[in-house]
Amino acid sequence: MFKKTLLALSITLFGFSAFAQNSQKAKALLDDVYAKVTSYDNIEIAFNYALENTEANTKSETRGNAKLQGDKYVVDLFGSQQLFDGKMVYTIVPDNEEVTIESPSEGENTVTPSKMLTFYREGHNYQWDILQNVQGRKVQYVKLIPIDTNTEINSILLGIDAETKHIHKLIETGKNGTKTTITVNSFKTNQPLSKSLFTFDEAKYKSDGYYIIRN
C-alpha cells in the first residue's frame, strides 16, 4: 500500500514539474517575441480576420492591415479606420461620414489586431502547445488562459514563427463559442511612415462633412 501511494505521489509530482517547465518554456518564448517586437521602430502587418460561431451558424471573413509605432496605431478593418495617437482613440467610418472620439477602454479584454503583438505580457497563464509546419515554417503554439475568470475569453492560441519570433496566428475562443482568428500574411518592420500618420486632423474631417461624436 505504501509503495502504491509513493508511486502515485511520484507521478503527481512529476506531472506538476513537467507542467511548470512547459509553462516556463512558453513564457520564455513569449518574452523572446516581446523583445523582438519592441526592438523595431515600427511594424506594419497585413492580416486575415475571421469570426465564427458554430452554434449560431455564422461566419465572416475579411482582410485588414495595421501600422504600429510604440503605443500608437492605425488599423484598417471592415471598411473603417481606427487610430490611436497615444491619448485618444478615433474610429473613422466613411460610409456614415462619422468619427467617434473616445478614451481607450481599459476594461476591454478582446484581442484586436492593434493589440495582438503585446497583449500577452500580463493577465494569463501559459501552456506549451502544438508545433505545426506551415509552408515550410515551424510555428510553435502557446496557449494562454486568462487569470481573470470573469473575462469573456475562454482561451487564446498564439502561433509563433520559431525562427523569426514573429506572431503568425492568433485564435481566440470565447465562452459563448465565438472563435476569432487573425492570420498574419505579411510582417514588415522599420518602414518609412508619414510623420502625420498617427495624428487626427479634426478640421479636415469637419470640412469634409463628417459628424464628430465625443464619448
Side-chain angles (χ1 to χ4, degrees):
M1 183 66 179
F2 177 76
K3 288 183 178 181
K4 288 183 178 180
T5 303
L6 187 61
L7 178 61
L9 181 61
S10 297
I11 293 173
T12 301
L13 291 174
F14 177 78
F16 278 132
S17 176
F19 178 83
Q21 288 177 5
N22 282 338
S23 179
Q24 291 170 3
K25 187 163 60 170
K27 187 178 184 307
L29 177 58
L30 292 177
D31 285 343
D32 287 344
V33 173
Y34 184 76
K36 196 70 176 288
V37 165
T38 54
S39 71
Y40 301 124
D41 180 56
N42 62 66
I43 295 172
E44 182 176 345
I45 61 172
F47 56 88
N48 284 349
Y49 184 96
L51 190 67
E52 182 178 11
N53 189 310
T54 52
E55 291 183 5
N57 195 28
T58 59
K59 184 175 182 179
S60 61
E61 294 185 39
T62 189
R63 292 187 178 186
N65 62 76
K67 297 179 179 69
L68 306 98
Q69 187 173 52
D71 293 332
K72 301 176 182 179
Y73 62 77
V74 174
V75 178
D76 292 287
L77 186 66
F78 296 120
S80 301
Q81 184 179 84
Q82 189 171 85
L83 182 153
F84 179 57
D85 62 3
K87 295 180 180 179
M88 303 296 289
V89 176
Y90 306 85
T91 303
I92 304 161
V93 185
D95 286 349
N96 299 341
E97 293 189 335
E98 185 177 277
V99 178
T100 302
I101 304 174
E102 56 193 339
S103 299
S105 302
E106 295 182 2
E108 181 63 57
N109 291 317
T110 300
V111 179
T112 62
S114 60
K115 296 194 299 182
M116 69 175 290
L117 301 180
T118 56
F119 78 95
Y120 49 82
R121 287 288 289 172
E122 56 186 27
H124 302 87
N125 291 317
Y126 311 112
Q127 296 177 11
W128 196 254
D129 212 272
I130 64 171
L131 177 68
Q132 284 187 340
N133 188 306
V134 180
Q135 298 178 341
R137 292 188 299 167
K138 291 183 178 180
V139 176
Q140 176 63 55
Y141 280 87
V142 171
K143 189 172 186 179
L144 291 82
I145 308 295
I147 295 173
D148 181 6
T149 56
N150 293 321
T151 180
E152 296 179 359
I153 300 172
N154 186 46
S155 66
I156 297 170
L157 277 172
L158 203 59
I160 299 160
D161 187 310
E163 181 178 351
T164 65
K165 300 298 189 296
H166 292 165
I167 293 174
H168 167 69
K169 181 175 287 191
L170 180 149
I171 305 170
E172 175 189 294
T173 304
K175 291 180 178 177
N176 62 355
T178 299
K179 181 182 288 186
T180 304
T181 303
I182 301 173
T183 306
V184 176
N185 297 321
S186 71
F187 193 110
K188 299 178 181 179
T189 63
N190 300 335
Q191 299 296 297
L193 301 179
S194 167
K195 291 182 179 180
S196 62
L197 179 63
F198 303 107
T199 302
F200 177 71
D201 188 345
E202 184 171 342
K204 173 185 176 299
Y205 283 96
K206 281 184 175 180
S207 67
D208 288 342
Y210 276 67
Y211 183 61
I212 309 295
I213 303 171
R214 297 181 186 275
N215 289 342

